[in-house]
């Protein structure tokens, strides 16, 4: 740990920043307004400077000049090349990760492939911390399969930590698939993925992890856990840009036994043979579908390179120090104003964002965005989420955020906003 004891005051934050081994990475990002504090890197990562040059090249040179020749000069292989870099971040040996589609679509493909592999089993186990889109995809899969499956959504008692005994109880001989978000999107709870994977395998079930809120901020060890399947988005901690395509991991031993539910030509062994019958690629490529979105896919790579340069263990180290510092300031400054912590206090159970809760959370969040130059986000019913992106979030950002939240509440700035929800929060 970088720092275990925290002192109040800005000077302490500044001293933590000046001793931060990752501090130079902040300069790799566009920070157009230094007074704006960005606390939403867990939702949309900042723009890496290198991505601007890369996108310029892709548009002007690769598309503009090289035209269709570019398919053979790096475009066609990009889903796998970039997949391998993501693989390094999530502990996957080569040949198991490919970039394609969106997280929701990849999740659909992975769920259908898993259920297809275990047709005798009818239960899908997940929990109430999973991302709603993931739950919708599960419901859609069950509906497509004519209601043969039941989805057991294990509830949480305290809304911060999952009910692990109930989760383990739910996994039984009828379970085909256990699927969870590795880090919960509200409380930021970080699961013991190795243990859950082990328990699922003991019962003969497959496991599918959604890494959207963990990859790029903390170590993920898919091969070591012996995970079967994983998906994740690239626009959060990976800084790939809005709507950048997602990735899917299928353990090597399962690839040739699993079918993607969408048979497209990019998943075929020889797409340019234009054969009339589908013959799936032997490896991970079978989980690709159609022509990938090249512009947004190539924009992912510069952000990945930064993460790989920083090293995932150093990133986790800093992320833990950032969240610990935030919670220390929270306890002294915000708890007395009616806030309660919405995230685990135990470090090893915490991902890279911290939720703080207040009955007026929604209006306070609006005051932060519109009056106070802080961009967090809000998750119902009362969570203000503070995302900590260790590549560029500074300790002073955290100090300043807590100060501005304190002023919003102490000065009752939020009272001017209605409690009626806007569309995007
Ligand atoms: C962000 C996120 C998604 C997003 O899915 P899209 O298909 O990209 O909209 C899915 N699952 C989890 C757990 C997420 O955090």
């Amino acid at each position: 740990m970088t720092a275990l004891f925290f002192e109040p005051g800005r000077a302490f934050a500044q001293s933590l920043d000046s001793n931060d081994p990752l501090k130079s990475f902040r300069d790799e990002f566009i920070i157009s307004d230094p007074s704006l504090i960005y606390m939403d890197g867990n939702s949309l990562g900042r723009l890496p400077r290198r991505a601007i040059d890369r996108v310029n090249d892709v548009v002007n040179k690769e598309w503009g000049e090289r035209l269709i020749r570019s398919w053979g000069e790096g475009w066609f292989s990009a889903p796998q090349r970039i997949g391998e870099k993501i693989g390094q971040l999530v502990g996957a040996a080569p040949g198991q990760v490919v970039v394609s589609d969106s997280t929701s679509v990849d999740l659909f493909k992975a769920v259908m492939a898993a259920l297809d592999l275990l047709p005798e089993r009818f239960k899908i186990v997940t929990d109430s911390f999973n991302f709603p889109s993931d739950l919708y995809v599960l419901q859609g899969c069950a509906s497509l399969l004519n209601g043969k499956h039941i989805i057991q959504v294990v509830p949480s008692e305290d809304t911060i930590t999952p009910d692990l005994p109930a989760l383990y109880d739910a996994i039984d001989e009828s379970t085909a698939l256990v699927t969870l978000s590795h880090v919960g999107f509200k409380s930021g709870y970080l699961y013991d993925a190795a243990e859950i994977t082990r328990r699922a395998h003991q019962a003969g079930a497959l496991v599918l992890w959604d890494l959207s809120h963990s990859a790029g901020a903390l170590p993920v060890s898919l091969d070591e856990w012996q995970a079967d399947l994983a998906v994740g988005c690239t626009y959060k901690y990976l800084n790939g840009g809005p709507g950048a395509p997602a990735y899917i991991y299928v353990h090597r031993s399962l690839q040739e036994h699993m079918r993607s539910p969408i048979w497209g030509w990019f998943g075929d062994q020889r797409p340019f043979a234009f054969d009339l019958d589908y013959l799936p690629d032997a490896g991970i490529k079978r989980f690709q579908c159609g022509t990938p979105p090249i512009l947004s896919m190539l924009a992912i790579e510069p952000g990945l390179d930064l993460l790989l340069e920083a090293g995932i263990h150093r990133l986790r180290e800093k992320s833990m120090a950032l969240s610990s510092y935030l919670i220390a300031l929270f306890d002294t400054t915000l708890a007395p104003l009616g806030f309660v912590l919405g995230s685990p206090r135990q470090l090893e159970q915490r991902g890279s964002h911290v939720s703080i809760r207040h009955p007026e959370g929604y209006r306070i969040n609006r005051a932060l965005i519109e009056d106070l130059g802080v961009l967090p986000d809000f998750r119902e019913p009362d969570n203000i989420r503070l995302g900590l992106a260790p590549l560029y979030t500074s300790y002073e950002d955290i100090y300043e955020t807590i100060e501005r939240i304190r002023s919003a509440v102490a000065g009752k700035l939020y009272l001017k906003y209605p409690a009626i929800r806007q569309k995007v929060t």
Side-chain angles (χ1 to χ4, degrees), residues 239-255:
N239 309 302
Y247 57 91
I248 180 168
Y249 162 95
V250 181
H251 193 278
R252 186 182 291 286
S253 66
L254 292 172
Q255 288 169 4

Side-chain angles (χ1 to χ4, degrees), residues 257-311:
H257 306 292
M258 281 192 161
R259 298 193 288 181
S260 169
I262 314 174
W263 296 5
W265 68 317
F266 272 65
D268 191 87
Q269 239 172 53
R270 296 186 308 141
F272 291 95
F274 296 104
D275 223 330
L276 298 190
D277 290 309
Y278 178 67
L279 186 64
D281 182 84
I284 187 66
K285 270 178 65 185
R286 67 172 57 192
F287 282 89
Q288 282 185 260
C289 178
T291 308
I294 290 296
L295 298 186
S296 49
M297 178 172 304
L298 296 182
I300 301 171
E301 211 165 359
L304 292 176
D305 289 338
L306 289 172
L307 290 163
L308 291 170
E309 278 168 40

